[in-house]
Each structure stands twice: as structure tokens, then as C-alpha cells.
Amino acid sequence: HDQTKRDLTRAEELRRLRADVEMLNSEKEGLEHNNLQADKEKAELIENFIYVKGCLDQLQMASLETPAASPEHERQVAQLKATYSQVVEERNRLAARVDALDRDREKQKQQ
């Protein structure tokens, strides 16, 4: 009778542990997917950032060559600077998110 009880307890514990492993594997897959998605977003943002930075550099060089900038030109420069700032902010936010995902993944590996 005691042996049967122990066997049932062990079987129940094994079921719980298997369920935990399944849940952790599922969570890991989700985190890996999020990490891939964040990497894609980061690459896209870097590409956008480089493009906008190039446009800003071109406009700044053009403004140095032009004695008096038109209001339209000033508006474009201001717009590009704002876009540049937004892209930098977004890149930093995503970099922080990727770092957090990396830390979470490392914590999970150690558990």
C-alpha cells in the first residue's frame, strides 16, 4: 500500500515536472521568436537611421554651400532632424529591449 502511494506520488511529480518542462520550452520558443523579431526591427531601424543620417548630412552640406536657406529648406532640415531623433530614440528603445531579452534568455539558461 505504501509502495503504491509512493509510486503515485512519484508519477504525479513526474507529470508536474514534464508539464513545467513543456511550459518552459514553450516560453523559450516565444522568447526566441521575440528576439528574432527584435533583431529584424533593430536591423531595419539601423538601415533607416543610416539613410536618414545620410539625408541629414546632405542637407547640412547643402546648407553650408547655400548662403541663405529658404524657409522650405529650413523646414526640411527641421523635419529631418525630428525624424532622425525619432529613429535614434526607437533604436535605443529596441536595443534596450534586445538586451532585456538577452538577459532573460541567459537567466533561463542558468535555471
Side-chain angles (χ1 to χ4, degrees), residues 32-83:
E32 286 171 347
H33 175 75
N34 287 349
N35 198 32
L36 284 174
Q37 202 60 34
D39 283 344
K40 283 181 192 171
E41 289 176 23
K42 181 180 172 185
E44 192 177 306
L45 279 168
I46 289 170
E47 189 179 316
N48 292 344
F49 173 81
I50 290 169
Y51 171 76
V52 170
K53 178 79 171 100
C55 290
L56 180 61
D57 290 346
Q58 284 177 348
L59 275 173
Q60 286 175 333
M61 289 305 292
S63 72
L64 291 176
E65 296 162 7
T66 311
S70 68
E72 174 63 19
H73 188 271
E74 290 298 323
R75 190 188 63 73
Q76 282 182 324
V77 169
Q79 190 177 5
L80 278 169
K81 283 181 180 177
T83 304

